[in-house]
Amino acid sequence: MDWFKKAFGPLYPDVYGHRDENDARRAVDFLERHCDPRGERVLDLCCGAGRHGLEWLRRGRDNIVGFDLSETLLSEARRSCEEEELCFPLVRGDMRCLPFADGAFALVVNLFTSFGYFASDSENELVFAEVGRVLRPESGRLVLDHIHPPWLRGHLEPETRRTTSGGLDVRETRHIDETRRRVVKRVEVLGGAATGDVPHEWTESVRFYAPDEIEEIGRRHGFGIESAHGDFDGSPLSNDSPRAIYRLVVARASRP
Ligand SMILES: C[S@@+](CC[C@H](N)C(=O)[O-])C[C@H]1O[C@@H](n2cnc3c(N)ncnc32)[C@H](O)[C@@H]1O
């Protein structure tokens, strides 16, 4: 089974609990400062449990749609919407084939390493092709928040063990496959969490990209890089940056 169909299940929100609402607020601050879509439609591509879209709506903004493959995480997002009485349309599907009309969005955001999941470069590029299709010609924007390879190489911890805020005992082992340009992480939830059919171990495998590769893929799909940042504080991308956050703009009127 594809790893991304197994990994984003019921234990994921607690295992990645540090990626919380505070973290989402910083990302939404960045979006407000740098990519205001002025009331036009926004797509949160790979929205997970909806933390960014919910924050967007809490600020009185609207017109955002969430899209994700994980029914578990989408259900959690729906529950939060009901509790807070927010209207956040949520759609389930695969990012390689988006069920939206051509030119439907002014802004697509893909946050917290939600790209590079597929085994081949051509499948990963399909996501760029689809995003290019659903964005408005000429002015549509994509914000891609991804791994920054120098930071990854400098900070990779081969093995960690920790207890999550929800009490899960988690062991994570990591390595970089430089040939395939992927970071591979084995996650094992030890102890009592392994109940029923809930996956309690999985292996994540994410393709990482140098900035010039993103530029080249973007160019092939009609995008230009407008700016590249190293953090949601808006600082420019440098070798020391913890993240690579690209603002890409559709640079041509007709698609390839
Ligand atoms: C690292 S999580 C990030 C979630 C969210 N952006 C956040 O920051 O909380 C990646 C998300 O991608 C979704 N995903 C994985 N494979 C997908 C696919 N093929 N199509 C659509 N979504 C997918 C997962 O279900 C998960 O919610």
Side-chain angles (χ1 to χ4, degrees):
M1 187 203 280
D2 291 319
W3 71 265
F4 50 84
K5 294 184 180 156
K6 184 177 179 186
F8 301 102
L11 299 184
Y12 172 83
D14 192 16
V15 170
Y16 283 87
H18 51 294
R19 296 300 187 175
D20 58 9
E21 291 187 359
N22 283 331
D23 189 62
R25 275 194 280 275
R26 294 186 70 240
V28 174
D29 286 346
F30 174 90
L31 296 176
E32 283 193 325
R33 273 199 310 275
H34 295 282
C35 342
D36 190 341
R38 299 181 204 289
E40 292 192 64
R41 286 178 91 202
V42 180
L43 175 63
D44 184 355
L45 180 64
C46 302
C47 63
R51 62 194 176 116
H52 299 101
L54 290 163
E55 179 58 23
W56 188 256
L57 294 164
R58 281 182 204 118
R59 296 180 185 202
R61 291 174 168 266
D62 58 3
N63 250 341
I64 187 162
V65 176
F67 181 85
D68 203 277
L69 187 64
S70 165
E71 187 48 49
T72 307
L73 298 183
L74 287 172
S75 300
E76 191 148 321
R78 278 187 208 104
R79 210 170 26 249
S80 303
C81 290
E82 275 170 24
E83 270 170 29
E84 299 189 48
E85 298 184 2
L86 293 169
C87 173
F88 187 17
L90 295 160
V91 180
R92 179 161 189 247
D94 189 300
M95 60 178 134
R96 289 167 288 188
C97 179
L98 299 177
F100 303 110
D102 295 3
F105 297 96
L107 174 66
V108 174
V109 299
N110 181 267
L111 303 172
F112 181 35
T113 320
S114 303
F115 177 69
Y117 289 181
F118 306 112
S120 68
D121 282 353
S122 54
E123 279 175 294
N124 288 315
E125 276 201 42
L126 271 180
V127 180
F128 259 78
E130 276 295 82
V131 172
R133 181 184 65 74
V134 303
L135 274 173
R136 279 219 328 237
E138 290 189 278
S139 59
R141 284 193 169 76
L142 164 65
V143 174
L144 178 68
D145 160 34
H146 213 254
I147 295 165
H148 189 37
W151 181 271
L152 171 72
R153 293 189 181 101
H155 294 81
L156 188 94
E157 293 185 277
E159 180 165 350
T160 51
R161 186 140 175 194
R162 62 191 169 93
T163 304
T164 65
S165 57
L168 299 179
D169 180 10
V170 180
R171 177 165 60 211
E172 289 154 310
T173 48
R174 308 167 181 84
H175 71 272
I176 297 174
D177 179 342
E178 288 287 0
T179 310
R180 296 174 61 229
R181 299 181 66 73
R182 299 186 81 94
V183 56
V184 181
K185 177 163 148 188
R186 175 93 183 138
V187 179
E188 293 167 90
V189 178
L190 309 165
T195 52
D197 290 336
V198 173
H200 61 282
E201 53 181 356
W202 61 85
T203 302
E204 303 170 3
S205 169
V206 179
R207 168 76 155 92
F208 55 84
Y209 296 85
D212 59 347
E213 288 182 286
I214 293 293
E215 190 171 10
E216 177 54 27
I217 295 169
R219 198 193 51 71
R220 277 203 288 275
H221 295 281
F223 291 91
I225 293 186
E226 209 170 29
S227 59
H229 303 268
D231 196 335
F232 283 118
D233 63 9
S235 55
L237 184 66
S238 76
N239 260 352
D240 302 327
S241 300
R243 300 290 295 167
I245 303 161
Y246 300 97
R247 261 184 351 140
L248 297 116
V249 63
V250 179
R252 64 172 165 236
S254 56
R255 294 176 185 89

